[in-house]
Amino acid sequence: MSRSTSPGRWSRIIVHADMDAFYAAVEQLDRPELRGKPLLIGGTGPRSVVATASYEARPFGVGSAMPMGLALRKCPQAIVVPPRLARYAEVSDRIMSVFATFSPLVEALSLDEAFLDLTGAEGLFGPPEEMARRIKGAVREATGLTVSVGVAPNKYVAKVASDIRKPDGLCVVPPDGVRAFLDPLPVSRLWGVGKHGEERLQDMGLRTLADVAAADPAWLERRLGSMGPHVHALAQGIDPRPVVPDREAKSIGSEVTLDDDVVGRAAITPHLLREADRVGRRLRRAGLRAGGVRVKLKTTKFQLLTRQTALHPPTSSGDVLYREALRLLDAFDLGVPMRLVGLAAYDLADAAAPVQGELFGQEGRERQQRLDQAVDALRSRFGKAAVRRGSEIEDEGPERQPDRMRD
Ligand code: DCP
Ligand code: MG
């Protein structure tokens, strides 16, 4: 059967869906009096940062990760709303269930975004644009919220496409339109490059993706190392990575490409702590315990290094993951600069299942569980910054160390 689809043949149909101003949109949904108003979601403490800003606040130049104080100076009329993570997780579950009605291949990247592989699903949902419309409609119906959707032949292009017409965006990039779509975009649109990489590309006189695509690959590799072939492929719209469904996921991981490369143990540990906390929360939310933890580092030369260890007993505690991850750090050569720090929990099992051979230490484990639950509850009421661990406080050095609470 030859279907003459004029926009070129779709080898794959990949959708990227990303909720608009997610935390802020949920607050406006639940509290109608906040609709149409500039909102900053976050705490108000001296170290608080903005989790997200409603679209009404964004013209003032505020957004995610900005210190709250600065955001309030830029947009003094904004209403500050503390985050309610448990509620966002609940809405997220509903969104992911909607996605699951479109494809068995759904890969969630965070609470509010996912890739869907809809290759071969035209018979069910129509051509790509119709697929996107249906997904947006179904999310709106299930949650009352808007989602921006990009459809393209691969993940990278779909992700850029979902972002480009936000909010409530719908952007389809057919196979023969990929180059024209990417060409004029700035190099900041490249994936996994970070601020440093972006500056290096600028220094090399490369401003747009067309510049990168047209550059000599050997020269790119000489100047950028293994980042060269990576950016050259992306700039041409080439990205063969598959959509990996989470339900089959054998691990729960979290990682960040850092804005600034880090060297040495002391610079890496704060990132590891954050990732361990995040993975612990995700384990607890999913009702799982991990029988192993893995640390992943990527050097600035794109060399991927991993070390892992089994956990006895299995755990869902961020503290325990962090402690074991710290021990794993000893097995790395930390003298080279790193661009990515990640942590994954693997060997996952239902947290309700009994742990074999664990009679002793039960009490300590329950105490740790209660502590973790209390931290989760506080953070969902007051934001991540509300509760900090002793190890985070130590990282600041003695001059800023507050009085310790006695245990
Ligand atoms: N988030 C956060 N801290 C960040 C970035 C995001 O806590 N540095 C949270 C708040 C966001 C949610 O994750 O609402 C989703 O992140 P997005 O990057 O998708 O941002 P939004 O959904 O808020 O806005 P957009 O419409 O740009 O997607
Ligand atoms: Mg979003």
Side-chain angles (χ1 to χ4, degrees):
M1 187 174 55
S2 86
R3 226 185 268 154
S4 63
T5 39
S6 52
R9 211 175 59 78
W10 287 78
S11 48
R12 291 190 295 156
I13 301 177
I14 307 298
V15 171
H16 181 258
D18 186 319
M19 303 299 291
D20 301 316
F22 183 49
Y23 293 3
V26 173
E27 295 303 333
Q28 290 179 327
L29 178 77
D30 290 352
R31 296 169 59 188
E33 74 275 15
L34 297 178
R35 291 178 198 169
K37 304 230 168 94
L39 300 188
L40 298 169
I41 309 299
T44 47
R47 292 170 57 101
S48 294
V49 292
V50 176
T52 194
S54 69
Y55 274 85
E56 292 83 357
R58 294 194 191 188
F60 296 89
V62 299
S64 297
M66 182 179 280
M68 184 58 81
L70 175 60
L72 279 170
R73 281 197 293 283
K74 285 174 174 263
C75 185
Q77 65 271 53
I79 302 167
V80 179
V81 180
R84 295 179 298 147
L85 297 179
R87 171 69 179 137
Y88 310 145
E90 185 182 293
V91 178
S92 173
D93 286 346
R94 209 168 309 158
I95 296 158
M96 296 301 159
S97 311
V98 169
F99 294 159
T101 64
F102 285 88
S103 171
L105 299 179
V106 177
E107 178 180 346
L109 295 185
S110 69
L111 283 184
D112 90 319
E113 63 177 310
F115 286 112
L116 288 72
D117 190 333
L118 283 166
T119 308
E122 296 101 315
L124 286 170
F125 306 116
E129 182 159 346
E130 180 61 21
M131 290 174 177
R133 262 201 298 272
R134 286 198 195 203
I135 292 168
K136 288 168 66 69
V139 167
R140 181 151 216 156
E141 193 170 323
T143 64
L145 299 173
T146 61
V147 62
S148 291
V149 173
V151 193
N154 63 52
K155 281 177 146 180
Y156 169 61
V157 180
K159 171 113 176 155
V160 177
S162 77
D163 196 53
I164 212 126
R165 307 225 170 109
K166 263 183 172 292
D168 204 9
L170 190 169
C171 177
V172 178
V173 185
D176 64 358
V178 166
R179 290 299 296 271
F181 172 73
L182 293 181
D183 273 350
L185 299 178
V187 292
S188 55
R189 288 282 182 180
L190 284 166
W191 227 6
V193 170
K195 278 250 155 30
H196 269 342
E198 196 186 320
E199 277 162 22
R200 273 159 85 193
L201 288 164
Q202 303 267 10
D203 289 346
M204 290 161 68
L206 305 172
R207 291 203 154 60
T208 65
L209 298 197
D211 296 339
V212 178
D216 171 24
W219 175 69
L220 283 176
E221 185 157 12
R222 231 172 19 247
R223 296 289 304 267
L224 299 168
S226 54
M227 195 171 96
H230 171 73
V231 297
H232 195 236
L234 289 187
Q236 295 172 84
I238 299 170
D239 179 9
R241 283 170 302 179
V243 174
V244 181
D246 310 288
R247 231 174 301 163
E248 287 169 24
K250 296 278 191 300
S251 65
I252 288 183
S254 179
E255 60 185 49
V256 275
T257 299
L258 305 167
D259 284 344
D260 297 303
D261 301 333
V262 291
V263 194
R265 190 182 175 94
I268 290 171
T269 51
H271 297 291
L272 215 47
L273 175 63
R274 193 188 47 227
E275 303 312 312
D277 250 352
R278 206 173 273 169
V279 170
R281 272 201 307 278
R282 285 174 62 191
L283 285 168
R284 292 192 290 281
R285 209 157 59 213
L288 295 169
R289 262 195 305 238
V293 62
R294 179 161 51 236
V295 170
K296 173 173 161 186
L297 301 174
K298 199 189 271 179
T299 69
T300 47
K301 296 193 168 139
F302 278 75
Q303 192 188 3
L304 191 63
L305 312 168
T306 63
R307 295 284 184 279
Q308 63 183 50
T309 185
L311 297 167
H312 303 292
T315 190
S316 60
S317 159
D319 275 344
V320 176
L321 294 173
Y322 178 58
R323 204 170 59 218
E324 294 301 317
L326 281 182
R327 292 180 353 139
L328 286 171
L329 272 190
D330 297 336
F332 289 94
D333 169 13
L334 300 177
V336 295
M338 302 292 175
R339 65 192 314 277
L340 176 147
V341 177
L343 180 147
Y346 63 90
D347 191 9
L348 306 180
D350 194 332
V355 179
Q356 236 181 354
E358 257 308 295
L359 289 172
F360 305 106
Q362 173 83 15
E363 205 178 305
R365 205 169 58 247
E366 279 172 5
R367 187 167 162 270
Q368 181 69 55
Q369 268 168 12
R370 282 197 302 276
L371 177 65
D372 284 318
Q373 277 160 7
V375 169
D376 284 347
L378 280 171
R379 284 185 168 162
S380 61
R381 283 178 63 196
F382 302 113
K384 280 181 203 162
V387 186
R388 294 160 62 221
R389 315 245 180 201
S391 43
E392 287 173 90
I393 293 164
E394 268 165 12
D395 286 333
E396 290 175 5
E399 69 279 8
R400 296 185 59 183
Q401 192 168 322
D403 290 336
R404 289 297 183 76
M405 277 193 299
R406 247 172 279 137
D407 203 340

